[in-house]
Amino acid sequence: KNQVEQSPQSLIILEGKNCTLQCNYTVSPFSNLRWYKQDTGRGPVSLTIMTFSENTKSNGRYTATLDADTKQSSLHITASQLSDSASYICVVQNQAGTALIFGKGTTLSVSS
Amino acid sequence: GAGVSQSPSNKVTEKGKDVELRCDPISGHTALYWYRQSLGQGLEFLIYFQGNSAPDKSGLPSDRFSAERTGGSVSTLTIQRTQQEDSAVYLCASSLVVGDEQYFGPGTRLTVT
């Protein structure tokens, strides 16, 4: 059973709109939670990394939140651009730092 | 500086053949990871190397899969007697040490016909 679940599986939005992607996890205890962006045909690129004690982390138009009590994280994208079209992957690292558990990702399509 | 590179970018092979996939990590990174990404699935951890320590092979799906890391740098993932279910994108990542930020290569797309 995957310990990191993401929703929605896919999402289509208009350019300029905002969106929020969800990640629920059961990995416990954990060291940190990461959000990656993966363009088609490319390797994942890190957007944010949050330790269990952090609640929010921003990277430009990307803002990630973390609620360690409910084991939920979200990635909010503001004023979306066509280049935001990609797969967004939530990843939880175990406390020992030896394993990354990946969600299946949310595929975002931004249309003009 | 140069990022993680992988070769080949694409590989088509016949069922039953052996394949070798190569990963060149970022210079100075002691940890190297291999992942598999099947269509519609999340990344699946295969194996990681940390310095000269014995690799963590816990994610290898079968004994047809093996990996080496020579001289603490370049790594080769070998799949013997390939099966159609081995078709996937194989991603390599490296980090300064285990637990540190991982930087991914572009992947090798393997298609077994």
Side-chain angles (χ1 to χ4, degrees), chain B residues 22-64:
Chain B
R22 177 187 168 103
C23 172
D24 282 90
I26 293 173
S27 177
H29 280 193
T30 63
L32 185 148
Y33 313 77
W34 282 100
Y35 297 90
R36 179 169 68 176
Q37 189 173 35
S38 302
L39 188 64
Q41 300 296 316
L43 272 74
E44 174 189 5
F45 165 75
L46 297 177
I47 185 173
Y48 86 85
F49 299 85
Q50 169 60 58
N52 296 320
S53 303
D56 177 355
K57 304 179 181 180
S58 59
L60 294 178
S62 78
D63 58 8
R64 297 186 295 105

Side-chain angles (χ1 to χ4, degrees), chain A residues 32 34 36 38 41-44 46 49 89 93 97-98 100 102-104, chain B residues 35 37 40-43 45 48 56 91 98-102 104-106:
Chain A
N32 59 68
R34 311 169 181 209
Y36 283 87
Q38 185 175 21
R42 308 291 294 274
S46 179
I49 301 176
I89 304 170
Q93 184 170 40
T98 55
L100 291 178
F102 290 77
K104 293 184 178 182
Chain B
Y35 297 90
Q37 189 173 35
Q41 300 296 316
L43 272 74
F45 165 75
Y48 86 85
D56 177 355
L91 289 162
V98 168
D100 212 1
E101 175 65 52
Q102 293 187 20
F104 284 82

